[in-house]
Amino acid sequence: MGEQGAVGEHPPITSFVHHRARLTAGQQSAWERWWSVRGHEVPELLAGREPFDPPAWFGRTAPLVLEIGSGMGEATAQLAAEAPGTDHIAVEVFEPGLAQLLMRIAEAGLSNITVLRGDAVALLETCVAPGSLDGIRIFFPDPWPKRKHRKRRLVQPDVVALAASRLRIGGTLHMATDWADYAVQMRTVCDEEPSLEGGEIPRPDWRPLTKFEQRASSEGRSVHDLLYKRRAVGPSGSHST
Ligand SMILES: C[S@@+](CC[C@H](N)C(=O)[O-])C[C@H]1O[C@@H](n2cnc3c(N)ncnc32)[C@H](O)[C@@H]1O
């Protein structure tokens, strides 16, 4: 891997900042009630103290979608409710967001979401087997708009290559952003990744319209959806499909 998630003498550059944030009373009680049932700590999985084991977590083997940065869990919970036959792993570092998602899971009685706290890039690299995911979602990743912070953007060549390698052939990488130049970056990086094919698509009706997206639209920023599929690439980089 490149700088993101790499372990070296310097702290790795991450796509997130760890804010200590207070939980609301509802989030706190959801955390106390549900975290031990639905939550897992990424550092425990990375260290091998706990297995990354979706069939055990969900009690079945089903198509598996992983979301990087589920935020407050609005889209995550809605998409999981609409796809009961698919299992969803939401990875986030922001505790109030994880707690809010736990509340949504409990309210809707969803059994097809597992919530992980920690860095999704490290998780993909260390714990997720190649070719094992049906989909990866990255909705509205932090834009890091200042030029000096650009290297913190999640969607970069090494992370996209890693994500693509964890998808099965035909599995999808779906991204959305309200930052035009980030959409260009996503497209450039994914177009250059030989194991992916796709591009920008019209906004799919099935992607939930979150408060976050509504605010972007009301502030005049248009939203870009990008959908790529993993394709088979031969050892020389030639396409075998
Ligand atoms: C701008 S928010 C968008 C949240 C949500 N997807 C939405 O559409 O409302 C981006 C989220 O990604 C999370 N994030 C960024 N990098 C991450 C990483 N490497 N692993 C896990 N979460 C990450 C941040 O904590 C933040 O909550």
Side-chain angles (χ1 to χ4, degrees):
M1 290 294 302
E3 291 172 298
Q4 279 200 346
V7 179
E9 283 174 32
H10 302 290
I13 295 169
T14 57
S15 54
F16 55 87
V17 182
H18 202 113
H19 299 291
R20 283 229 161 267
R22 217 178 249 281
L23 304 191
T24 64
Q27 288 168 350
Q28 184 66 40
S29 80
W31 189 273
E32 283 160 17
R33 171 71 185 86
W34 295 107
W35 176 254
S36 59
V37 182
R38 291 308 185 86
H40 302 272
E41 301 284 358
V42 171
E44 294 296 302
L45 302 170
L46 296 179
R49 288 188 289 269
E50 198 197 331
F52 176 84
D53 193 355
W57 296 341
F58 294 107
R60 65 177 184 178
T61 299
L64 193 60
V65 172
L66 182 139
E67 182 177 1
I68 303 181
S70 45
M72 301 308 280
E74 212 179 336
T76 317
Q78 196 174 320
L79 288 169
E82 286 165 7
T86 297
D87 290 331
H88 298 74
I89 296 178
V91 195
E92 179 51 79
V93 292
F94 183 58
E95 278 141 37
L98 289 163
Q100 193 69 36
L101 178 54
L102 290 171
M103 278 169 77
R104 297 181 199 278
I105 292 170
E107 276 162 20
L110 299 171
S111 58
N112 60 339
I113 307 184
T114 286
V115 176
L116 306 189
R117 170 163 61 173
D119 181 3
V121 175
L123 179 90
L124 280 175
E125 189 174 21
T126 305
C127 303
V128 179
S132 62
L133 298 175
D134 293 83
I136 296 178
R137 293 177 177 145
I138 308 177
F139 294 159
F140 303 98
D142 298 293
W144 295 108
K146 289 188 185 154
R147 187 155 289 281
K148 64 177 180 182
H149 290 147
R150 287 287 159 84
K151 56 183 164 223
R152 303 196 74 151
R153 283 185 168 177
L154 181 64
V155 181
Q156 326 234 2
D158 55 354
V159 175
V160 165
L162 170 66
S165 73
R166 273 32 181 179
L167 291 171
R168 65 167 172 79
I169 306 297
T172 55
L173 171 63
H174 185 179
M175 295 159 287
T177 182
D178 55 328
W179 286 80
D181 76 309
Y182 202 176
V184 171
Q185 176 170 334
M186 288 173 172
R187 187 161 186 162
T188 306
V189 168
C190 293
D191 284 350
E192 283 172 5
E193 168 49 48
S195 64
L196 292 177
E197 63 188 347
E200 187 157 349
I201 56 164
R203 186 190 187 289
D205 300 341
W206 53 264
R207 188 170 57 69
L209 182 61
T210 60
K211 284 190 196 132
F212 190 88
E213 181 171 355
Q214 275 167 328
R215 194 173 61 228
S217 303
S218 70
E219 289 171 5
R221 291 191 302 280
S222 46
V223 169
H224 304 264
D225 278 78
L226 294 101
L227 186 68
Y228 284 81
K229 257 190 199 171
R230 164 112 195 251
R231 62 181 164 189
V233 177
S236 61
S238 60
H239 303 271
S240 53
T241 51

